[in-house]
Amino acid sequence: MSTVCFRVGGREFSIERHAAAIFATNLDKLSTGKLGDDGRAGAPSLLEKVDDVVVGNSHTTIELEGDEAEAAFYVLNVSIDAPSAEQRELAAALRRLRDDSLRG
């Protein structure tokens, strides 16, 4: 599999395997507190899911919600230098999910 697929609010997004590996590295940094505390609660479990897909142990689409969505949102918005169009779309979907949950 050359991409890692995520689902946010019923929509699917895929990012290249190499970008997903960088995403996983940043999730690892977040889970150990190197990127602060925002989104940290969901980072370890999301890291495990992303790693499973990146190394080929799983081919499932990763559903992003709750703490894992918050971790993904934080990592995508803080630590990627030049995000791809798909990464920007995923970040925008996560932002909408986050805004909706904050509203009510």
Side-chain angles (χ1 to χ4, degrees):
M1 177 175 276
S2 61
T3 61
V4 176
C5 298
F6 298 93
R7 185 177 299 117
V8 179
R11 255 184 92 199
E12 289 197 13
F13 303 88
S14 59
I15 59 175
E16 294 295 322
R17 183 191 220 107
H18 174 73
I22 294 168
F23 180 69
T25 298
N26 289 327
L27 282 169
D28 185 46
K29 290 178 185 176
L30 179 59
S31 69
T32 59
K34 292 179 183 169
L35 297 179
D37 289 330
D38 290 343
R40 189 172 175 188
S45 57
L46 181 56
L47 171 61
E48 187 175 321
K49 291 176 184 177
V50 173
D51 270 346
D52 278 349
V53 176
V54 169
V55 300
N57 291 337
S58 173
H59 301 290
T60 61
T61 298
I62 300 168
E63 189 78 41
L64 291 175
E65 54 191 13
D67 287 342
E68 290 180 350
E70 188 69 19
F73 174 80
Y74 186 75
V75 167
L76 284 170
N77 284 290
V78 171
S79 59
I80 294 180
D81 297 331
S84 68
E86 276 291 332
Q87 289 167 319
R88 286 192 301 274
E89 289 177 23
L90 176 58
L94 288 165
R95 186 174 299 108
R96 285 189 298 275
L97 180 70
R98 187 174 192 250
D99 291 347
D100 289 348
S101 69
L102 290 176
R103 275 194 286 259

